[in-house]
Amino acid sequence: MTIHTTHPDVLKRLKRAQGHLKSIVTMLEGDRSCLEIAQQLQAVERAITNAKRTLVRDHIDPCLDKAVHDGKQSARDAIREFKALSKYLG
């Protein structure tokens, strides 16, 4: 498995989301306010979105470009893969 330069950042973001999720469970069990819980849910959503965006962009730059340049993948296949990946950016 290839480790990309951004994987540590993605991992950090996911661990942050994991911590927020744990907090949300505790908040729900502790009957905390809906506003506080909603804020934590927003933080989880943002952390996951940023992790996903970083991961996809990291794959596009070095992986797809290098695969085409090295002749391991045709430009057509790289574009097809890019289109498939792009649906996860929204």
Side-chain angles (χ1 to χ4, degrees), residues 20-33 35-40:
H20 285 297
L21 280 172
K22 189 175 180 178
S23 295
I24 292 166
V25 170
T26 302
M27 292 169 80
L28 285 166
E29 292 170 344
D31 202 27
R32 297 280 292 270
S33 79
L35 175 59
E36 291 175 300
I37 294 168
Q39 289 169 333
Q40 288 297 311

Side-chain angles (χ1 to χ4, degrees), residues 4-24:
H4 299 278
T5 58
T6 58
H7 280 191
D9 185 46
V10 170
L11 187 58
K12 180 177 74 173
R13 291 173 189 273
L14 292 175
K15 285 183 178 185
R16 184 178 305 133
Q18 182 180 36
H20 285 297
L21 280 172
K22 189 175 180 178
S23 295
I24 292 166

Side-chain angles (χ1 to χ4, degrees):
M1 180 175 91
T2 303
I3 300 295
H4 299 278
T5 58
T6 58
H7 280 191
D9 185 46
V10 170
L11 187 58
K12 180 177 74 173
R13 291 173 189 273
L14 292 175
K15 285 183 178 185
R16 184 178 305 133
Q18 182 180 36
H20 285 297
L21 280 172
K22 189 175 180 178
S23 295
I24 292 166
V25 170
T26 302
M27 292 169 80
L28 285 166
E29 292 170 344
D31 202 27
R32 297 280 292 270
S33 79
C34 289
L35 175 59
E36 291 175 300
I37 294 168
Q39 289 169 333
Q40 288 297 311
L41 286 169
Q42 178 64 31
V44 169
E45 186 177 327
R46 193 170 36 248
I48 291 172
T49 297
N50 288 335
K52 177 178 61 172
R53 185 177 295 124
T54 300
L55 183 75
V56 170
R57 286 181 179 165
D58 184 46
H59 180 73
I60 290 168
D61 289 336
C63 294
L64 293 181
D65 186 48
K66 185 171 176 17
V68 171
H69 184 266
D70 293 349
K72 295 178 182 174
Q73 190 173 21
S74 71
R76 182 179 303 236
D77 287 340
I79 290 170
R80 189 175 302 120
E81 187 172 346
F82 173 76
K83 286 179 181 179
L85 282 167
S86 68
K87 72 180 178 183
Y88 297 110
L89 290 174

